[in-house]
Amino acid sequence: MSQIQILSKNQKIVLKIIEQAKEPLKAYSILFNAQKKGIKAPPQIYRALDKLIQKGKIHKIESRNAFVACKNSKCEISKATAFSICEKCEKVTEINIPKITKVLFAFKDKSGMSCKKYNLELFGLCKKCA
Amino acid sequence: MSQIQILSKNQKIVLKIIEQAKEPLKAYSILFNAQKKGIKAPPQIYRALDKLIQKGKIHKIESRNAFVACKNSKCEISKATAFSICEKCEKVTEINIPKITKVLFAFKDKSGMSCKKYNLELFGLCKKCA
DNA sequence: CTACAAATGTTATATTATAACACCTGTTAT
DNA sequence: ATAACAGGTGTTATAATATAACATTTGTAG
Ligand SMILES: [Zn+2]
Ligand SMILES: [Zn+2]
Ligand SMILES: [Zn+2]
Ligand SMILES: [Zn+2]
């Protein structure tokens, strides 16, 4: 009931693994890492991932089926996520473009739908790879 | 060599199925539909999908693992794609927000990466579901 | 004709994700 | 205290999505 986001045991294990990684992690790679902590099966990972996303602790990079820790207090519990992704080395950076957020939350499509949440993925080459 | 995008037999079959659908189609649902045309196995579908994406004829809705025909001549061969997605009925609409395109192609992240391509997915409730 | 690029057909397999069910743990309400 | 409930866990099995690998064919350019 409280708004303080307390994490369960498995949620803590999964979050720690994701936070310590230098790149986005796939679910089965998290599972592999979590096995030394006693986690044995995919549902344990996917359930923790779902909750961590809901709680704004991590994000899913949809185009990569991979997960990163939130680096950005401005995500407003994952309602506005954006990432730049290097297509060569796959480096992912969480970004924040206030103008984009402003424009999108004001936008309505032809059928009158407005945006409550968005995910934006930018592709290019990072400095090292360019 | 020519810039005219000629489609192969399987590419035409897959594109037609996607164009005739009223909603985004999943790969295995396309496969099911394509079986009456003689297509038998997933790789035939995935190869056609890849080429159709390259040629700008279709887009992948990453958050749904589903494919839609391009409704928008301004995608510039899929370098700038955006969709609104109703979280209740899953209706997907391809949208174009010129201001977003302008801002994003001018953007550089902290490490100097600039955007050559982007995909944006907006979530909310459509008029009917709101 | 030859050589090459693109596409196809096929089998098998890898990868990503969920269903279903039994059990446990802590809180709230009576 | 105890029943009812919500959230979490453990487990097995399976569904859904996607690719590897290889043999063959087709179209086209030199
Ligand atoms: Zn974030
Ligand atoms: Zn890079
Ligand atoms: Zn388009
Ligand atoms: Zn709707």
Side-chain angles (χ1 to χ4, degrees):
Chain A
M1 192 53 65
S2 92
Q3 289 309 104
I4 300 168
Q5 296 290 15
I6 292 174
L7 300 182
S8 74
K9 173 172 147 283
N10 287 359
Q11 288 160 24
K12 281 179 197 160
I13 292 169
V14 169
L15 179 57
K16 192 172 177 191
I17 290 169
I18 295 173
E19 282 176 339
Q20 291 177 343
K22 286 185 288 298
E23 61 283 316
L25 291 183
K26 306 253 194 179
Y28 276 73
S29 141
I30 296 166
L31 173 58
F32 179 80
N33 274 270
Q35 277 168 344
K36 51 181 84 74
K37 300 286 183 188
I39 289 182
K40 289 180 180 152
Q44 297 173 288
I45 300 298
Y46 282 103
R47 287 191 293 226
L49 290 171
D50 286 348
K51 291 296 182 180
L52 290 169
I53 289 169
Q54 283 174 27
K55 295 175 183 179
K57 300 298 187 186
I58 63 169
H59 304 302
K60 181 175 186 181
I61 310 299
E62 294 286 357
S63 66
R64 299 299 187 259
N65 298 316
F67 302 86
V68 292
C70 177
K71 297 283 173 37
N72 183 348
S73 57
K74 296 197 184 104
C75 295
E76 308 177 52
I77 315 290
S78 305
K79 293 285 178 287
T81 54
F83 305 92
S84 65
I85 303 169
C86 174
E87 290 189 294
K88 190 167 175 199
C89 72
E90 295 290 326
K91 176 180 160 62
V92 169
T93 308
E94 184 165 3
I95 58 182
N96 184 277
I97 315 179
K99 191 184 289 188
I100 295 290
T101 302
K102 204 179 157 202
V103 170
L104 291 182
F105 283 138
F107 175 80
K108 274 184 195 305
D109 77 7
K110 285 176 195 171
S111 77
M113 194 188 117
S114 65
C115 170
K116 297 206 167 33
K117 193 167 106 181
Y118 73 81
N119 181 57
L120 171 61
E121 299 184 6
L122 304 189
F123 305 94
L125 294 175
C126 76
K127 210 165 204 171
K128 272 192 349 197
C129 295
Chain B
M1 190 52 67
S2 93
Q3 290 310 104
I4 300 168
Q5 296 290 16
I6 291 174
L7 300 181
S8 75
K9 172 172 148 283
N10 288 0
Q11 288 160 24
K12 280 179 196 160
I13 291 170
V14 169
L15 178 56
K16 193 173 177 191
I17 290 170
I18 295 174
E19 283 175 338
Q20 290 176 344
K22 287 185 288 295
E23 62 283 316
L25 291 183
K26 306 251 193 180
Y28 276 70
S29 140
I30 296 166
L31 173 57
F32 179 80
N33 274 269
Q35 278 168 343
K36 51 180 85 75
K37 301 285 183 190
I39 289 182
K40 289 182 180 150
Q44 296 172 290
I45 300 298
Y46 282 102
R47 288 191 293 227
L49 289 172
D50 286 349
K51 290 297 183 180
L52 289 169
I53 288 170
Q54 282 174 27
K55 294 176 182 179
K57 300 298 188 187
I58 64 170
H59 305 301
K60 182 174 186 181
I61 311 298
E62 294 286 357
S63 64
R64 299 300 186 260
N65 297 316
F67 302 86
V68 292
C70 177
K71 296 285 172 37
N72 182 347
S73 56
K74 295 196 183 108
C75 296
E76 307 177 50
I77 316 290
S78 305
K79 292 285 179 287
T81 54
F83 306 92
S84 65
I85 303 170
C86 174
E87 290 188 293
K88 189 166 174 199
C89 72
E90 295 291 325
K91 177 181 160 64
V92 169
T93 307
E94 184 165 3
I95 59 184
N96 184 277
I97 314 179
K99 191 184 286 187
I100 295 290
T101 302
K102 205 181 158 200
V103 170
L104 291 182
F105 283 137
F107 174 81
K108 275 185 195 303
D109 76 8
K110 285 176 195 169
S111 78
M113 194 189 118
S114 66
C115 169
K116 296 204 166 39
K117 194 167 102 180
Y118 73 83
N119 181 57
L120 171 61
E121 299 183 7
L122 303 189
F123 304 94
L125 294 175
C126 75
K127 209 164 204 172
K128 271 191 347 196
C129 295

